[in-house]
Amino acid sequence: MEAEDPGLPPKGGMDLPQDGVDLPEQKLSPGSTDTGEDEPSATLDEPVELLGDQSNGLLSVADGKADVQEELTETREESSEKDLSDSASTDNTLEDSSEFSRPMVMGSGPPGEEEEVAVQPRPPTHRDEDVTAESWRAHRKHVFVLSEAGKPIYSRYGNEEALSSTMGVMMALVSFIQSGDNSIRSIYSDDRKLVFVQQGPLVLVSVSSTLQSEQQLRQELLYVYYQIISMLTQASITRIFERKKNYDLRRLLTGSEKILDRLLNLVESDPCFLLGAVRCLPLQPALRDSLGSLLQKAITPNLVFSILVARSQLVTTVQEKTVIDDCRLEPTDLHLLLNLIGATSAFQTGEIWTPICLPRFNPDCYFYAYISYLDADCTVCLILLSTDKESFYSVSDCKKRIEEGMRTQNYLQALSSGLKSPSYSVAMVGAPDLRHFMYKPLDIPDNYRQLPQFTSPELEGPYCSESERHRLFDLYHYLHSRIHSTSRPLRLIYHVAEKETLLAWVTSKFELYTCFSPLVTKAGAINVLTKLLRWIKKEEDRLFIRYPPKYSTTPNPGKGSKGPRTEGAENGFFGGL
């Protein structure tokens, strides 16, 4: 499935990246042309603090006790062919510096008497797998990312270097088909599907033995591509490969492998990705409205989105009124943002200020994300997205006001206590034959333009083991592929499997997937569906965000800038809408 066109681009509030992962020194409108020849390298003022979690992208950590922001260091290298060579360079400080591979030295005595402590070897991971072993071939799904020149960039299992010849064969297939003015989309064998997706200079390949359709596998590859774009931006990647086609992109993605690994684990087990929707935390409507009101009042110029999440479940979100009239935050962008936060322990250290690209909103520009956990257990997270990279302190002040209001009204305690118990049980529906369901409402009023949402209960027996959960979601994937088939879409499917019976139903108002005990009849399943829909209707205010709040910020020229700017340039993002 091809990606939709990104949302309306900003006219000056967000920055076009000069290259790679740096923050630009000058703000450019998306329509302008960047002819810079420098390839930046991202460095941190104190990189050792983030060494344990080297996620790509620039992080600025502000210690809450000291209330000090560690400024991002913008470093530019001299322009030359040497900048993009495959030999050792300083493109990525954390990768190329040997400082981080030396043993730690500890001691309190005179110089020269320190005790050298050897670093413990890291435990073996799936990246150390032997790619010639049968166990490597037996994985349910492989994902490979390579460049047009055949350079390996990422592999879900095994080391990229050991797979360079395999990726070379994949690129040879792509090139051979392209030589005939065509493009390769998929290859089918008895027990495998190979799906190819080419996005600009990157080629993504999925080798799967699951029940997923080609369309679903293609969507997963697009998620991987979007996650890479969220860290580097599409403009940067395009510019890099225009200058040198055999550039090794791994140098800019050092430490991001675990982000992609976590993403691929989630797309196999989390219905969010299958349904293209966001899971909301079940919450009393009065509490959700109060939290939305807090976010609605804590605003500052150039603040575009305020998002409150708890364990990757959406609590509430508030969007700038001018933005919501023309575009919205896509579920894909929120999924990628939450995956980045969940995979990076550095976000738990304090207040984080980092550039982040939302590929479905605009793949070529950065937002500036303020990320902070509000509780000691790091379960409730506040995300504030701004278009001004100089507005850290004003956005941080918004967080303080939100946090103070939540503590004063005991909202944080109510959220934390609610997270200690499971979301909700399918037994609450009162239908003994019903084991599980996934429900996505489709009748969303256009004037609210909120995120598509869905709800589902906790998985219970007999789906407690990982293998049983995989089996159930394989069946859901199969039903979803039949419902959304491009050649022969269906609206209602009654499917009898070996251990359960499933029913999928799509109308103009909802999309529903249900799992029953194996002995249920068609008439019994229809009766359960009727009861389930009545229960969802009664609980919809608790399960969904029905009326998302909005706010309006006003231009505030001159604030947070290093030089004088006009009113239009200060808030050009909103002026363009």
Side-chain angles (χ1 to χ4, degrees):
M1 183 172 63
E2 297 297 328
E4 298 175 3
D5 291 334
L8 194 62
K11 295 276 180 108
M14 291 188 292
D15 301 332
L16 277 175
Q18 298 293 325
D19 210 342
V21 293
D22 72 321
L23 294 180
E25 295 180 354
Q26 297 181 353
K27 295 194 172 185
L28 305 174
S29 66
S32 61
T33 303
D34 181 11
T35 58
E37 293 296 326
D38 298 331
E39 180 188 352
S41 71
T43 61
L44 299 172
D45 289 342
E46 296 185 23
V48 177
E49 293 186 8
L50 299 177
L51 181 60
D53 204 294
Q54 296 179 8
S55 63
N56 198 65
L58 303 181
L59 296 179
S60 177
V61 183
D63 190 323
K65 297 181 180 178
D67 194 22
V68 177
Q69 180 193 14
E70 297 177 13
E71 298 293 341
L72 296 172
T73 304
E74 299 180 2
T75 306
R76 295 190 174 276
E77 301 176 307
E78 294 296 324
S79 175
S80 66
E81 285 296 325
K82 187 178 179 180
D83 292 343
L84 288 176
S85 67
D86 292 324
S87 59
S89 71
T90 57
D91 283 333
N92 193 311
T93 306
L94 293 179
E95 174 189 8
D96 296 329
S97 174
S98 60
E99 173 185 355
F100 303 112
S101 61
R102 295 198 298 266
M104 295 178 60
V105 177
M106 302 176 59
S108 57
E113 296 184 6
E114 293 90 347
E115 177 184 357
E116 187 171 288
V117 180
V119 178
Q120 294 293 329
R122 65 178 178 84
T125 66
H126 59 263
R127 302 207 170 278
D128 302 315
E129 288 187 40
D130 181 3
V131 298
T132 63
E134 190 61 33
S135 59
W136 182 83
R137 299 174 184 272
H139 285 297
R140 285 164 41 95
K141 188 189 302 176
H142 288 271
V143 172
F144 307 96
V145 183
L146 56 149
S147 68
E148 282 184 314
K151 282 273 188 180
I153 296 174
Y154 169 79
S155 172
R156 187 179 185 186
Y157 302 107
N159 183 272
E160 292 88 1
E161 292 294 342
L163 292 165
S164 57
S165 59
T166 302
M167 295 194 189
V169 172
M170 293 176 180
M171 194 61 231
L173 288 171
V174 174
S175 301
F176 177 76
I177 300 299
Q178 284 179 341
S179 65
D181 294 330
N182 211 328
S183 60
I184 187 170
R185 296 177 60 87
S186 59
I187 299 175
Y188 286 79
S189 68
D190 291 340
D191 59 346
R192 291 285 192 277
K193 284 190 285 285
L194 282 77
V195 177
F196 296 78
V197 170
Q198 183 163 5
Q199 292 287 316
L202 302 186
V203 177
L204 301 94
V205 184
S206 177
V207 182
S208 172
S209 61
T210 67
L211 295 177
Q212 291 174 272
S213 66
E214 177 183 334
Q215 184 180 356
Q216 291 168 344
L217 294 172
R218 194 176 304 280
Q219 185 62 38
E220 288 185 4
L221 292 178
L222 285 175
Y223 262 109
V224 175
Y225 172 73
Y226 288 144
Q227 188 75 75
I228 295 174
I229 292 300
S230 73
M231 297 181 280
L232 299 180
T233 77
Q234 185 173 268
S236 295
I237 293 176
T238 301
R239 188 183 306 113
I240 287 172
F241 284 101
E242 283 177 349
R243 291 161 59 185
K244 184 151 188 173
K245 292 187 180 298
N246 65 340
Y247 181 73
D248 189 353
L249 196 64
R250 287 176 297 174
R251 292 158 62 184
L252 294 179
L253 291 173
T254 300
S256 64
E257 296 88 354
K258 63 181 178 180
I259 299 174
L260 299 177
D261 291 345
R262 186 177 187 270
L263 175 68
L264 288 171
N265 290 334
L266 286 175
V267 296
E268 288 189 344
S269 59
D270 194 333
C272 295
F273 298 88
L274 178 65
L275 299 177
V278 177
R279 187 196 299 269
C280 291
L281 179 71
L283 211 59
Q284 291 300 321
L287 177 57
R288 198 188 304 275
D289 292 343
S290 298
L291 291 170
S293 179
L294 274 179
L295 268 62
Q296 197 174 16
K297 294 175 182 177
I299 60 175
T300 188
N302 299 313
L303 183 65
V304 182
F305 298 108
S306 301
I307 306 167
L308 187 65
V309 296
R311 286 186 182 164
S312 298
Q313 298 178 83
L314 184 64
V315 176
T316 188
T317 178
V318 185
Q319 188 168 339
E320 217 285 343
K321 188 183 299 183
T322 314
V323 179
I324 208 170
D325 290 338
D326 292 282
C327 49
R328 70 179 183 190
L329 182 64
E330 292 287 336
T332 300
D333 290 330
L334 186 56
H335 294 160
L336 298 174
L337 182 57
L338 294 181
N339 179 62
L340 175 67
I341 295 172
T344 312
S345 60
F347 287 111
Q348 302 177 9
T349 59
E351 299 173 275
I352 301 296
W353 184 246
T354 180
I356 183 72
C357 174
L358 303 182
R360 294 300 300 275
F361 192 94
N362 191 317
D364 298 323
C365 298
Y366 282 126
F367 277 102
Y368 296 91
Y370 175 92
I371 302 165
S372 178
Y373 283 96
L374 304 181
D375 62 331
D377 296 331
C378 294
T379 56
V380 181
C381 182
L382 177 67
I383 306 167
L384 305 175
L385 297 178
S386 173
T387 58
D388 183 7
K389 73 174 182 179
E390 305 292 344
S391 62
F392 169 81
Y393 291 106
S394 59
V395 175
S396 178
D397 183 65
C398 292
K399 175 256 183 179
K400 292 174 183 175
R401 283 182 277 164
I402 293 171
E403 187 175 30
E404 181 181 357
M406 291 181 69
R407 295 191 185 279
T408 302
Q409 302 295 329
N410 289 325
Y411 296 153
L412 191 59
Q413 183 179 356
L415 277 177
S416 299
S417 60
L419 290 170
K420 293 178 181 179
S421 57
S423 176
Y424 64 91
S425 172
V426 70
M428 295 178 65
V429 179
D433 287 327
L434 184 63
R435 289 183 174 181
H436 189 258
F437 68 88
M438 302 187 303
Y439 177 88
K440 176 184 176 181
L442 301 178
D443 55 342
I444 301 174
D446 290 336
N447 57 315
Y448 289 108
R449 296 184 66 82
Q450 72 258 43
L451 285 164
Q453 304 160 42
F454 86 102
T455 186
S456 67
E458 295 287 330
L459 278 172
E460 302 172 356
Y463 307 109
C464 297
S465 66
E466 183 178 356
S467 61
E468 285 298 302
R469 287 195 297 268
H470 274 307
R471 192 178 59 78
L472 175 62
F473 279 105
D474 278 348
L475 292 170
Y476 278 149
H477 276 99
Y478 171 72
L479 294 179
H480 184 273
S481 66
R482 294 290 306 276
I483 288 286
H484 295 277
S485 171
T486 55
S487 58
R488 190 188 172 197
L490 303 175
R491 301 185 67 86
L492 181 65
I493 301 176
Y494 179 80
H495 178 75
V496 179
E498 181 182 358
K499 298 181 180 180
E500 55 273 297
T501 297
L502 298 100
L503 192 148
W505 188 14
V506 176
T507 71
S508 60
K509 294 185 177 182
F510 61 83
E511 185 172 347
L512 176 63
Y513 300 86
T514 52
C515 175
F516 304 94
S517 58
L519 299 180
V520 71
T521 63
K522 287 184 181 180
I526 296 298
N527 290 334
V528 171
L529 284 186
T530 303
K531 193 170 189 177
L532 172 61
L533 292 174
R534 287 174 180 169
W535 180 84
I536 291 175
K537 181 65 177 177
K538 184 180 68 173
E539 299 286 335
E540 62 181 357
D541 286 334
R542 188 175 70 90
L543 299 175
F544 303 108
I545 302 173
R546 300 191 62 206
Y547 308 105
K550 299 178 285 187
Y551 61 82
S552 178
T553 60
T554 56
N556 193 6
K559 288 279 185 179
S561 60
K562 296 182 180 179
R565 284 188 280 181
T566 64
E567 181 174 343
E570 175 68 24
N571 207 35
F573 178 76
F574 304 121
L577 298 177

